[in-house]
Structures are given as C-alpha cells and as structure tokens.
Amino acid sequence: MTQALGNLFILAAPSGAGKSSLINALLDKHQDTNMHSNQMQVSVSHTTRDPRPGEVDGVHYHFVSKKEFKTLIDENAFFEWAEVFGNYYGTSRVVIEQTLSEGIDVFLDIDWQGARQVKAQIPDTATIFVAPPSKNELRRRLTERNQDSEEVIKSRMEKAVAEISHYHEFDFIVVNDNFDAALSELDSIVSARRLRKEKQVIRHADLFDGLLAD
C-alpha cells in the first residue's frame, strides 16, 4: 500500500470497556470542523448475519450472503475477516485504501485477531487497546445494561479476560475509568499520529517548497 495521508486506527477492547462510546464521542467532537485534515470515520464491516432491529445496510454493516462473502474472500477483498458463531465479518481492503488516500482517518472496531491481520499488512496502523479499570467495574457495566442473563454475562467476562490477555500487542493503551479523561487521551493519540513527519511532509509539501526556495 502506498503512503496515504489518512491514518488508520484500530480500537480493540472487551465488551463493556466503552470502546464504541469513545469512538462515537470522538467523531462527534470533530464533526463540526470543515478542515479536510480533521475528517474521520468508522469503517463499516461486511457481515453475513441478519440485520438487527434498527440496523441499516451500509451504515451499521454491509449485509451480504455467505456466498457473496466467500467470493470476496477468494478475491482477497478483505484486510481481515473472521467467522464468529457461524457468521462471517470482514474489513474491506478497497474501501479502506480509498478512504485513507483521500486524507480521511479510519477507525476499525475489531478484536485482537483482526488487529494482528491488519498490522501485518499495514505496519503503520496505530493499534489502541481500551481497558476497563477493574473486573468488578466491567461486570457492573455489563450487568447494568439489563440485556443479558447471568449466564451470558459470565460468558462475556470469560471472553473479556481472553481479550485483555493480548493488551501487550497494542501500541497504545487507554484505561476507561473516567470517560472524559479517556476521550482526551484518545484524542491526543489521534493528534500525535497526524503530526508525524511522514504525514506533515505530504500535507504541507507546498509550504516547505516555498520556505526553502531561493
């Protein structure tokens, strides 16, 4: 993949850590600006599962059949893909590359396995792990949703521990104890990535040509 102006970010976290809320808050914080360099969006994954109530094709997911998904696999159309409970999920290669080339930052909401796959192909990707402040707090958040049975919560806690065990593979770690503080830290990571020399040289090529002209 050629050098792109946009930055690719991966956010991974156990269920209940607040990852989705942080991403949405970050997007809300930046959407009132018209500066091209401040544009960002969350990647919309492909999936073979059925839409849930309120979900819109192309907004929450690209809903496709298993046959279509397997064809896309054969065409190497995904940066990463996985089968979860009989359904397939994948991140489109073409869409990501095109979006980054337009100078738009892209956030991938995927697990540590997907992060490994993408990082292997795009080493420049910034990987961020969002951690809960404690097991007790994580359980409290899962319980207060009032969406799952005790058995499901137990399963989610076990899965959370498995996810957390890979925290050391990520470039950045944000502990979501205080939401505003965690959001500020996430925003700082994004700002730092945008200000790297490699990106600034591309973004301000005309400026430096003018500054160094005789």
Side-chain angles (χ1 to χ4, degrees), residues 158-171:
E158 291 173 351
K159 186 177 179 181
V161 172
E163 186 86 22
I164 293 170
S165 69
H166 294 273
Y167 75 91
H168 59 280
E169 300 181 23
F170 291 76
D171 300 317

Side-chain angles (χ1 to χ4, degrees), residues 22 31 38 40 47 49 71 79-80 92-93 102 104 110 115 118 125 128 133 157 164 167 182 188 200 205:
L22 285 170
Q31 76 175 65
N38 281 336
M40 57 178 67
T47 184
R49 74 162 173 77
T71 297
F79 270 126
E80 59 84 29
S92 171
R93 181 186 304 276
E102 295 172 357
I104 300 173
I110 55 180
V118 174
T125 302
I128 306 166
M157 287 296 296
I164 293 170
Y167 75 91
S188 295
Q200 292 290 69

Side-chain angles (χ1 to χ4, degrees), residues 42-59:
V42 178
S43 172
V44 179
S45 299
H46 286 66
T47 184
T48 60
R49 74 162 173 77
D50 294 330
R52 293 169 182 161
E55 288 185 332
V56 179
D57 184 40
V59 176

Side-chain angles (χ1 to χ4, degrees), residues 1-9 37 99-106 122-126 190-206 208:
M1 180 176 171
T2 58
Q3 180 73 45
L5 189 56
N7 296 280
L8 184 59
F9 298 91
S37 61
T99 305
L100 293 174
S101 70
E102 295 172 357
I104 300 173
D105 293 339
V106 179
I122 310 180
D124 191 46
T125 302
V190 172
S191 296
R193 296 291 293 185
R194 288 176 169 177
L195 293 172
R196 285 178 306 152
K197 176 188 67 178
E198 294 81 3
K199 301 297 182 181
Q200 292 290 69
V201 165
I202 297 173
R203 185 175 292 118
H204 299 294
D206 292 340
F208 286 107

Side-chain angles (χ1 to χ4, degrees), residues 95-152:
V95 172
I96 298 300
E97 290 182 344
Q98 179 179 343
T99 305
L100 293 174
S101 70
E102 295 172 357
I104 300 173
D105 293 339
V106 179
F107 291 84
L108 302 184
D109 182 351
I110 55 180
D111 65 10
W112 65 269
Q113 292 171 306
R116 272 187 184 178
Q117 294 180 51
V118 174
K119 188 80 168 179
Q121 299 172 73
I122 310 180
D124 191 46
T125 302
T127 59
I128 306 166
F129 190 83
V130 179
S134 69
K135 273 189 177 181
N136 288 337
E137 174 61 16
L138 182 60
R139 172 175 282 279
R140 185 191 68 78
R141 293 177 185 177
L142 291 174
T143 302
E144 286 193 348
R145 291 178 176 180
N146 293 321
Q147 296 177 344
D148 302 312
S149 65
E150 183 60 33
E151 183 179 349
V152 171

